[in-house]
Amino acid sequence: QLSHTPPQLRSPGNEGTTFPGKHCSEPAHQTSPFRVRRRAFRRGAREGLRCSSGISRWDLRARVGAARPGLTAEEQEAEKRRSVVVEKELELEFDLGNLLALDRNPPPAAGLRGAGPQREAQLLALARDNTQLLVAQLWELPAERAGGAGGPLVARLPEPTLRLPREKPPPRPKPPTRWEQFARLKGIRRRKRTSLVWDEQAKEWRRRWGYRRAGGDPARAWLAEVPEGADPEEDQFARLRREKRERVARNELNRLRNLARAHRAGAAIPAAPLHPTGHQSKEELSHVARVARVSTASLGRFQPRLPKEPAEPPSRSGGKKRRFEPLLGNLAAERSRQLQLLKDMGSKKPVLDITRAVNKQLRQEEAEAAAAKGKKQSQRGKRGRRQQRTGRSSKKSAARRHQQRPAGSGTGGSKRKKA
Amino acid sequence: MDPLDRVVKPKTKRAKRFLEKREPKLKENTKIAMLIKGGNANLRVTEVKNITRPFEDQTSLEFFSKKSDCSLFLFGSHNKKRPNNLVIGRMFDYHVLDMIELGVEKFVSLKDVKNSKCPEGTKPMLIFAGDMFDVNEEYRRLKSLLIDFFRGPTVPSIRLAGLEYVLHFTAVDGKIYMRSYKVLLKKSGCKIPRIELEEMGPSLDLVMRRTHLASDDLYKLSLKQPKALKPKKKKNISHDVFGTTYGRIHMQKQDLGKLQTRKMKGLKKRPAEKAAEDSGVSPKKSKSA
């Protein structure tokens, strides 16, 4: 009943004045209403006011407040704050970022056990007190007027402190591509290049790459060089187009390979922590079953077989053990195998595993390209390399070199390609 | 392979954006809840084929969660054994993390209470009262779950006059009383307003039935914060038990020779002295020379 204050207590002159101090954290202002009341009572007694049993406490307090306009400032403040003060045995915990308050005081169980309306009233009183405390905390936050002086008062909330489970696990870092792995191994760093370069012919700054690029698009060039020792009848434009197409296709293939490798790596990681959620993938389950099977004293040798399990005892690593056929046994199968072998040897058509063949071919091509590149570099020798380095050092000369390349394509004996 | 586990390569920009929205993020989006109606007696005819029972089989729930990208669910059902059943739960990585079954003993809906309501989308103030929410492990999880469910979006600031909705949970005698009130801010004469509450509905009396809580390992895993979000430690700053901040700063030694003292005619430098100083011979150097 302490938190309810009769309205006549509030003096109209003091309405609107602000209370400067902090609400809950300052012990100096935490004089309990009990104590304040007792003091007021004593003061009343000193003045000769008689407190008869017919006058209720509220009335007395109101009369005292009215009779003593000359209270000290501290007491006046205490008087005003009485309507917003709530006493609790244990302090509440607050998480203002979530607008959350935790009241650890055990609620009065006796009152809540009773009939409907009484319980509702109890709950309402409890909720009111807790809300009052939470609101007091919120009003202490640094506030400002949104949108100028006339706007609504807006309090800045702190970050929520209560930690709640995430919706999804934190994002994993992307696995590095093949090139990134290699670059890391060799210590190659990306260097920043400006996107605009000076085009000497157009006399303006143009993009280094893409639409309206500096030096013109090589795919739309009207002149193509015939390399030394090339077939003079060959269409050089067609050759350039074909090479470009091949480069694009190879790049796409590498990209897909990187994707596949990343996916495989991503699938391999969650196999380690097995979540007890009741839902695992097939691979995870089979792995666990395999491990469990061989985890006996006899390494799973005498373990009874499950209905669809293969006859051979599983190895710990999950691989297959090599087994030889018995020397004497199924003669018909042996005969058919030998005949098949002879047929394969005699036929003109080779037995071809396409995937393997394609991979072999690709690897061979890559090796050749790498060898040719190395050879070229060694041919160029020290001089060529030094030139390259000086060119890289300054932007201007790089731009100049860029300009010279298409112009001097007819004269230059060695065609240097940067791919 | 599960059809949802494939490498999905988006064909359009829009599809790509959609997939990116669902990817795990450093700073997560607000959790979305799905409210599911279970195999009810009235609806038995229509739904007899696909009755969901979350405590027996979670796969259908997980499927729904993955389809709709929702991580919170509220599942209502009613049968003879467990009348007026409400299952509240949350997902982590599309798997059920916590799930708590609550029986509804009394229910007063929003429409039953004839009072003014607060506008939709108001961020509620949440208050939990009772020592049970702190002592009992199941109640602690329920508290966390309810906060997750009702807290709404995380906002940097809030309009103080717009705080008009309180959800109050009280745990006494094995029952949980959920009450929602509208807040009336009254003048009190000082800065903090006096609070009056008004019953608004819905209000529920709940009892806890079955629970399915995540193991400590999994729960810990779900609480794990990414490294990038953790606050960086500031160097050379420390705090003591009283909250005082100590810092170490580095300063150069002050040259007392150039200190400006009282200005008097007698202390004024003569032109010859001024010229000597301007030539740049510092007293230190002259000493060593």
Short mmCIF file of all heavy atoms in Angstrom, two decimals, chain A residues 23-73:
data_model
loop_
_atom_site.label_atom_id
_atom_site.label_comp_id
_atom_site.label_asym_id
_atom_site.label_seq_id
_atom_site.Cartn_x
_atom_site.Cartn_y
_atom_site.Cartn_z
N HIS A 23 18.03 7.93 -9.50
CA HIS A 23 16.90 7.40 -8.77
C HIS A 23 17.30 6.31 -7.80
O HIS A 23 17.12 6.43 -6.60
CB HIS A 23 15.87 6.89 -9.74
CG HIS A 23 14.80 6.11 -9.07
ND1 HIS A 23 14.13 6.59 -7.98
CD2 HIS A 23 14.32 4.88 -9.31
CE1 HIS A 23 13.28 5.70 -7.58
NE2 HIS A 23 13.36 4.64 -8.36
N CYS A 24 17.86 5.23 -8.32
CA CYS A 24 18.01 4.06 -7.46
C CYS A 24 19.43 3.90 -6.91
O CYS A 24 19.63 3.29 -5.88
CB CYS A 24 17.64 2.81 -8.25
SG CYS A 24 15.92 2.43 -7.99
N SER A 25 20.37 4.37 -7.64
CA SER A 25 21.74 4.04 -7.27
C SER A 25 22.28 4.91 -6.14
O SER A 25 23.31 4.61 -5.58
CB SER A 25 22.63 4.16 -8.50
OG SER A 25 22.44 5.42 -9.05
N GLU A 26 21.62 5.99 -5.83
CA GLU A 26 22.15 6.87 -4.80
C GLU A 26 21.56 6.54 -3.43
O GLU A 26 20.35 6.62 -3.23
CB GLU A 26 21.83 8.32 -5.14
CG GLU A 26 22.85 8.91 -6.10
CD GLU A 26 22.62 10.37 -6.32
OE1 GLU A 26 22.25 11.07 -5.36
OE2 GLU A 26 22.80 10.80 -7.45
N PRO A 27 22.39 6.12 -2.55
CA PRO A 27 21.86 5.75 -1.24
C PRO A 27 21.31 6.94 -0.46
O PRO A 27 20.44 6.79 0.38
CB PRO A 27 23.07 5.13 -0.54
CG PRO A 27 24.26 5.65 -1.26
CD PRO A 27 23.82 5.95 -2.65
N ALA A 28 21.81 8.13 -0.74
CA ALA A 28 21.38 9.30 0.02
C ALA A 28 19.89 9.56 -0.16
O ALA A 28 19.21 10.01 0.75
CB ALA A 28 22.17 10.51 -0.42
N HIS A 29 19.35 9.26 -1.35
CA HIS A 29 17.95 9.54 -1.61
C HIS A 29 17.05 8.38 -1.28
O HIS A 29 15.86 8.45 -1.49
CB HIS A 29 17.77 9.90 -3.09
CG HIS A 29 18.43 11.20 -3.41
ND1 HIS A 29 17.99 12.38 -2.91
CD2 HIS A 29 19.51 11.47 -4.16
CE1 HIS A 29 18.78 13.35 -3.34
NE2 HIS A 29 19.70 12.82 -4.10
N GLN A 30 17.65 7.29 -0.83
CA GLN A 30 16.83 6.11 -0.63
C GLN A 30 16.26 6.04 0.78
O GLN A 30 16.26 5.01 1.42
CB GLN A 30 17.62 4.85 -0.92
CG GLN A 30 17.59 4.50 -2.39
CD GLN A 30 18.03 3.10 -2.62
OE1 GLN A 30 18.69 2.52 -1.78
NE2 GLN A 30 17.68 2.55 -3.74
N THR A 31 15.79 7.14 1.27
CA THR A 31 15.11 7.10 2.55
C THR A 31 13.77 6.43 2.33
O THR A 31 13.03 6.76 1.42
CB THR A 31 14.88 8.51 3.06
OG1 THR A 31 14.40 9.27 1.97
CG2 THR A 31 16.13 9.11 3.63
N SER A 32 13.48 5.46 3.16
CA SER A 32 12.26 4.71 2.93
C SER A 32 11.06 5.57 3.32
O SER A 32 11.16 6.47 4.16
CB SER A 32 12.26 3.44 3.79
OG SER A 32 11.78 3.74 5.07
N PRO A 33 9.95 5.32 2.70
CA PRO A 33 8.76 6.10 3.03
C PRO A 33 8.40 5.98 4.51
O PRO A 33 7.85 6.90 5.11
CB PRO A 33 7.69 5.48 2.16
CG PRO A 33 8.41 4.78 1.09
CD PRO A 33 9.74 4.42 1.61
N PHE A 34 8.71 4.80 5.08
CA PHE A 34 8.44 4.60 6.51
C PHE A 34 9.12 5.68 7.34
O PHE A 34 8.53 6.33 8.18
CB PHE A 34 9.01 3.25 6.96
CG PHE A 34 8.01 2.15 6.80
CD1 PHE A 34 8.33 0.99 6.11
CD2 PHE A 34 6.75 2.28 7.36
CE1 PHE A 34 7.42 -0.01 5.98
CE2 PHE A 34 5.84 1.25 7.23
CZ PHE A 34 6.17 0.10 6.53
N ARG A 35 10.43 5.79 7.04
CA ARG A 35 11.23 6.70 7.85
C ARG A 35 10.73 8.14 7.68
O ARG A 35 10.62 8.90 8.61
CB ARG A 35 12.69 6.59 7.45
CG ARG A 35 13.61 6.59 8.66
CD ARG A 35 15.02 6.32 8.19
NE ARG A 35 15.17 5.04 7.60
CZ ARG A 35 16.08 4.75 6.65
NH1 ARG A 35 16.85 5.70 6.21
NH2 ARG A 35 16.20 3.55 6.17
N VAL A 36 10.43 8.47 6.45
CA VAL A 36 9.97 9.84 6.18
C VAL A 36 8.70 10.11 6.93
O VAL A 36 8.51 11.15 7.55
CB VAL A 36 9.75 10.00 4.66
CG1 VAL A 36 9.08 11.34 4.40
CG2 VAL A 36 11.07 9.93 3.95
N ARG A 37 7.84 9.10 6.91
CA ARG A 37 6.56 9.31 7.55
C ARG A 37 6.75 9.50 9.06
O ARG A 37 6.14 10.32 9.68
CB ARG A 37 5.65 8.13 7.28
CG ARG A 37 4.21 8.43 7.67
CD ARG A 37 3.38 7.20 7.57
NE ARG A 37 3.47 6.65 6.25
CZ ARG A 37 3.36 5.35 6.01
NH1 ARG A 37 3.20 4.51 6.99
NH2 ARG A 37 3.41 4.90 4.80
N ARG A 38 7.63 8.66 9.64
CA ARG A 38 7.82 8.74 11.07
C ARG A 38 8.36 10.14 11.45
O ARG A 38 7.97 10.75 12.41
CB ARG A 38 8.80 7.66 11.51
CG ARG A 38 8.47 7.14 12.90
CD ARG A 38 9.34 5.95 13.21
NE ARG A 38 9.08 4.84 12.34
CZ ARG A 38 10.04 4.04 11.90
NH1 ARG A 38 11.29 4.27 12.20
NH2 ARG A 38 9.76 3.02 11.14
N ARG A 39 9.26 10.62 10.60
CA ARG A 39 9.82 11.93 10.88
C ARG A 39 8.73 12.99 10.85
O ARG A 39 8.65 13.87 11.71
CB ARG A 39 10.90 12.26 9.84
CG ARG A 39 12.06 13.02 10.45
CD ARG A 39 13.05 13.37 9.35
NE ARG A 39 13.63 12.18 8.75
CZ ARG A 39 14.11 12.15 7.51
NH1 ARG A 39 14.06 13.20 6.77
NH2 ARG A 39 14.66 11.06 7.04
N ALA A 40 7.88 12.87 9.85
CA ALA A 40 6.79 13.83 9.72
C ALA A 40 5.87 13.75 10.93
O ALA A 40 5.39 14.76 11.43
CB ALA A 40 5.99 13.53 8.45
N PHE A 41 5.65 12.55 11.38
CA PHE A 41 4.78 12.34 12.53
C PHE A 41 5.36 13.05 13.75
O PHE A 41 4.68 13.75 14.48
CB PHE A 41 4.66 10.85 12.77
CG PHE A 41 3.62 10.50 13.80
CD1 PHE A 41 2.28 10.34 13.45
CD2 PHE A 41 3.98 10.36 15.14
CE1 PHE A 41 1.35 10.02 14.40
CE2 PHE A 41 3.04 10.04 16.06
CZ PHE A 41 1.72 9.87 15.72
N ARG A 42 6.69 12.83 13.95
CA ARG A 42 7.33 13.43 15.11
C ARG A 42 7.22 14.97 15.06
O ARG A 42 6.96 15.64 16.02
CB ARG A 42 8.81 13.02 15.16
CG ARG A 42 9.14 12.20 16.40
CD ARG A 42 10.60 11.90 16.40
NE ARG A 42 10.89 10.73 15.60
CZ ARG A 42 11.93 10.64 14.78
NH1 ARG A 42 12.72 11.66 14.60
NH2 ARG A 42 12.17 9.55 14.13
N ARG A 43 7.41 15.46 13.85
CA ARG A 43 7.35 16.89 13.69
C ARG A 43 5.96 17.41 14.04
O ARG A 43 5.78 18.41 14.71
CB ARG A 43 7.67 17.25 12.24
CG ARG A 43 8.25 18.61 12.11
CD ARG A 43 8.85 18.78 10.73
NE ARG A 43 8.08 18.11 9.71
CZ ARG A 43 8.58 17.21 8.86
NH1 ARG A 43 9.84 16.88 8.94
NH2 ARG A 43 7.84 16.65 7.96
N GLY A 44 4.98 16.65 13.61
CA GLY A 44 3.59 17.00 13.91
C GLY A 44 3.34 17.02 15.41
O GLY A 44 2.68 17.92 15.94
N ALA A 45 3.92 16.05 16.10
CA ALA A 45 3.73 15.96 17.54
C ALA A 45 4.36 17.16 18.23
O ALA A 45 3.82 17.71 19.19
CB ALA A 45 4.35 14.67 18.07
N ARG A 46 5.54 17.56 17.72
CA ARG A 46 6.22 18.69 18.34
C ARG A 46 5.39 19.96 18.20
O ARG A 46 5.37 20.82 19.04
CB ARG A 46 7.59 18.88 17.67
CG ARG A 46 8.75 18.59 18.62
CD ARG A 46 10.04 18.93 17.94
NE ARG A 46 10.42 17.91 16.98
CZ ARG A 46 10.73 18.16 15.72
NH1 ARG A 46 10.67 19.37 15.25
NH2 ARG A 46 11.09 17.20 14.93
N GLU A 47 4.70 20.06 17.09
CA GLU A 47 3.92 21.26 16.85
C GLU A 47 2.62 21.28 17.64
O GLU A 47 1.91 22.28 17.63
CB GLU A 47 3.58 21.36 15.37
CG GLU A 47 4.71 21.96 14.58
CD GLU A 47 4.22 22.41 13.23
OE1 GLU A 47 3.14 21.99 12.80
OE2 GLU A 47 4.93 23.21 12.62
N GLY A 48 2.31 20.17 18.22
CA GLY A 48 1.10 20.14 19.02
C GLY A 48 -0.08 19.55 18.30
O GLY A 48 -1.21 19.67 18.76
N LEU A 49 0.17 18.98 17.14
CA LEU A 49 -0.91 18.33 16.41
C LEU A 49 -1.24 17.02 17.10
O LEU A 49 -0.36 16.23 17.40
CB LEU A 49 -0.46 18.04 14.97
CG LEU A 49 -0.93 19.00 13.89
CD1 LEU A 49 -0.19 18.68 12.61
CD2 LEU A 49 -2.42 18.88 13.69
N ARG A 50 -2.46 16.78 17.32
CA ARG A 50 -2.84 15.55 17.98
C ARG A 50 -3.30 14.54 16.93
O ARG A 50 -4.05 14.89 16.03
CB ARG A 50 -3.97 15.81 18.98
CG ARG A 50 -3.53 16.46 20.26
CD ARG A 50 -2.90 15.41 21.21
NE ARG A 50 -2.15 16.08 22.25
CZ ARG A 50 -0.84 16.35 22.13
NH1 ARG A 50 -0.17 16.01 21.06
NH2 ARG A 50 -0.21 16.93 23.12
N CYS A 51 -2.81 13.39 17.08
CA CYS A 51 -3.20 12.35 16.12
C CYS A 51 -4.22 11.46 16.78
O CYS A 51 -3.90 10.56 17.54
CB CYS A 51 -1.99 11.53 15.70
SG CYS A 51 -2.42 10.16 14.65
N SER A 52 -5.46 11.74 16.52
CA SER A 52 -6.50 10.89 17.10
C SER A 52 -6.67 9.65 16.26
O SER A 52 -6.24 9.60 15.10
CB SER A 52 -7.80 11.67 17.17
OG SER A 52 -8.29 11.86 15.85
N SER A 53 -7.30 8.68 16.81
CA SER A 53 -7.44 7.40 16.10
C SER A 53 -8.40 7.53 14.93
O SER A 53 -8.40 6.74 14.01
CB SER A 53 -7.92 6.32 17.08
OG SER A 53 -9.18 6.73 17.60
N GLY A 54 -9.21 8.53 14.91
CA GLY A 54 -10.17 8.70 13.83
C GLY A 54 -9.52 9.19 12.54
O GLY A 54 -10.00 8.93 11.45
N ILE A 55 -8.40 9.88 12.64
CA ILE A 55 -7.72 10.39 11.44
C ILE A 55 -6.85 9.29 10.87
O ILE A 55 -6.06 8.67 11.59
CB ILE A 55 -6.85 11.62 11.78
CG1 ILE A 55 -7.73 12.70 12.39
CG2 ILE A 55 -6.16 12.13 10.55
CD1 ILE A 55 -6.93 13.85 12.95
N SER A 56 -7.01 9.02 9.60
CA SER A 56 -6.18 7.97 8.99
C SER A 56 -4.77 8.52 8.77
O SER A 56 -4.51 9.71 8.86
CB SER A 56 -6.79 7.55 7.66
OG SER A 56 -6.49 8.52 6.69
N ARG A 57 -3.86 7.58 8.49
CA ARG A 57 -2.47 8.00 8.28
C ARG A 57 -2.34 8.93 7.08
O ARG A 57 -1.59 9.86 7.07
CB ARG A 57 -1.61 6.77 8.00
CG ARG A 57 -1.25 6.01 9.23
CD ARG A 57 -0.37 4.92 8.76
NE ARG A 57 -0.21 3.90 9.77
CZ ARG A 57 0.36 2.74 9.51
NH1 ARG A 57 0.77 2.48 8.31
NH2 ARG A 57 0.52 1.86 10.45
N TRP A 58 -3.08 8.62 6.04
CA TRP A 58 -2.98 9.41 4.81
C TRP A 58 -3.34 10.87 5.09
O TRP A 58 -2.66 11.78 4.64
CB TRP A 58 -3.89 8.87 3.73
CG TRP A 58 -3.48 7.55 3.19
CD1 TRP A 58 -4.24 6.43 3.16
CD2 TRP A 58 -2.23 7.22 2.61
NE1 TRP A 58 -3.54 5.40 2.60
CE2 TRP A 58 -2.29 5.86 2.25
CE3 TRP A 58 -1.05 7.92 2.37
CZ2 TRP A 58 -1.23 5.21 1.68
CZ3 TRP A 58 -0.01 7.26 1.78
CH2 TRP A 58 -0.10 5.92 1.44
N ASP A 59 -4.47 11.00 5.85
CA ASP A 59 -4.94 12.34 6.13
C ASP A 59 -3.90 13.13 6.90
O ASP A 59 -3.60 14.28 6.59
CB ASP A 59 -6.23 12.29 6.96
CG ASP A 59 -7.39 11.81 6.13
OD1 ASP A 59 -7.20 11.73 4.89
OD2 ASP A 59 -8.43 11.53 6.68
N LEU A 60 -3.29 12.43 7.85
CA LEU A 60 -2.29 13.08 8.68
C LEU A 60 -1.13 13.57 7.81
O LEU A 60 -0.69 14.70 7.93
CB LEU A 60 -1.78 12.10 9.73
CG LEU A 60 -0.61 12.64 10.53
CD1 LEU A 60 -1.11 13.69 11.51
CD2 LEU A 60 0.11 11.53 11.26
N ARG A 61 -0.70 12.66 6.96
CA ARG A 61 0.45 13.01 6.15
C ARG A 61 0.12 14.21 5.27
O ARG A 61 0.93 15.11 5.08
CB ARG A 61 0.86 11.83 5.29
CG ARG A 61 2.31 11.87 4.92
CD ARG A 61 2.81 10.48 4.70
NE ARG A 61 1.95 9.80 3.74
CZ ARG A 61 2.45 9.16 2.70
NH1 ARG A 61 3.73 9.13 2.50
NH2 ARG A 61 1.66 8.51 1.87
N ALA A 62 -1.08 14.20 4.73
CA ALA A 62 -1.47 15.29 3.85
C ALA A 62 -1.50 16.60 4.63
O ALA A 62 -1.04 17.63 4.15
CB ALA A 62 -2.85 15.00 3.26
N ARG A 63 -2.02 16.50 5.86
CA ARG A 63 -2.14 17.72 6.64
C ARG A 63 -0.74 18.26 6.99
O ARG A 63 -0.50 19.45 6.95
CB ARG A 63 -2.93 17.44 7.91
CG ARG A 63 -3.64 18.64 8.43
CD ARG A 63 -4.44 18.29 9.65
NE ARG A 63 -5.55 17.39 9.39
CZ ARG A 63 -6.24 16.79 10.35
NH1 ARG A 63 -5.90 16.96 11.60
NH2 ARG A 63 -7.24 16.00 10.06
N VAL A 64 0.14 17.33 7.29
CA VAL A 64 1.50 17.75 7.65
C VAL A 64 2.15 18.43 6.46
O VAL A 64 2.76 19.49 6.57
CB VAL A 64 2.31 16.53 8.12
CG1 VAL A 64 3.78 16.87 8.16
CG2 VAL A 64 1.83 16.10 9.48
N GLY A 65 1.96 17.82 5.28
CA GLY A 65 2.59 18.39 4.08
C GLY A 65 2.05 19.79 3.82
O GLY A 65 2.78 20.69 3.43
N ALA A 66 0.74 19.95 4.08
CA ALA A 66 0.13 21.24 3.79
C ALA A 66 0.50 22.27 4.85
O ALA A 66 0.67 23.44 4.56
CB ALA A 66 -1.39 21.09 3.73
N ALA A 67 0.62 21.78 6.10
CA ALA A 67 0.88 22.69 7.19
C ALA A 67 2.31 23.21 7.18
O ALA A 67 2.59 24.25 7.74
CB ALA A 67 0.60 22.01 8.53
N ARG A 68 3.21 22.45 6.54
CA ARG A 68 4.62 22.86 6.57
C ARG A 68 5.09 23.20 5.15
O ARG A 68 5.68 22.38 4.48
CB ARG A 68 5.48 21.73 7.12
CG ARG A 68 5.14 21.37 8.55
CD ARG A 68 5.89 22.23 9.53
NE ARG A 68 7.32 22.17 9.31
CZ ARG A 68 8.19 22.81 10.08
NH1 ARG A 68 7.76 23.55 11.08
NH2 ARG A 68 9.48 22.74 9.86
N PRO A 69 4.80 24.40 4.68
CA PRO A 69 5.31 24.75 3.34
C PRO A 69 6.82 24.98 3.35
O PRO A 69 7.48 24.86 2.35
CB PRO A 69 4.52 26.00 2.99
CG PRO A 69 4.06 26.56 4.30
CD PRO A 69 4.03 25.48 5.30
N GLY A 70 7.36 25.27 4.47
CA GLY A 70 8.79 25.58 4.55
C GLY A 70 9.65 24.38 4.84
O GLY A 70 10.54 24.43 5.69
N LEU A 71 9.39 23.24 4.19
CA LEU A 71 10.25 22.08 4.37
C LEU A 71 11.59 22.32 3.69
O LEU A 71 11.70 23.14 2.77
CB LEU A 71 9.60 20.85 3.75
CG LEU A 71 8.37 20.27 4.44
CD1 LEU A 71 7.79 19.17 3.58
CD2 LEU A 71 8.73 19.74 5.81
N THR A 72 12.60 21.59 4.13
CA THR A 72 13.89 21.71 3.44
C THR A 72 13.77 21.08 2.05
O THR A 72 12.86 20.28 1.79
CB THR A 72 14.98 20.97 4.23
OG1 THR A 72 14.61 19.60 4.30
CG2 THR A 72 15.15 21.55 5.61
N ALA A 73 14.68 21.46 1.20
CA ALA A 73 14.61 21.03 -0.19
C ALA A 73 14.67 19.51 -0.30
O ALA A 73 13.95 18.88 -1.10
CB ALA A 73 15.77 21.65 -0.97
#
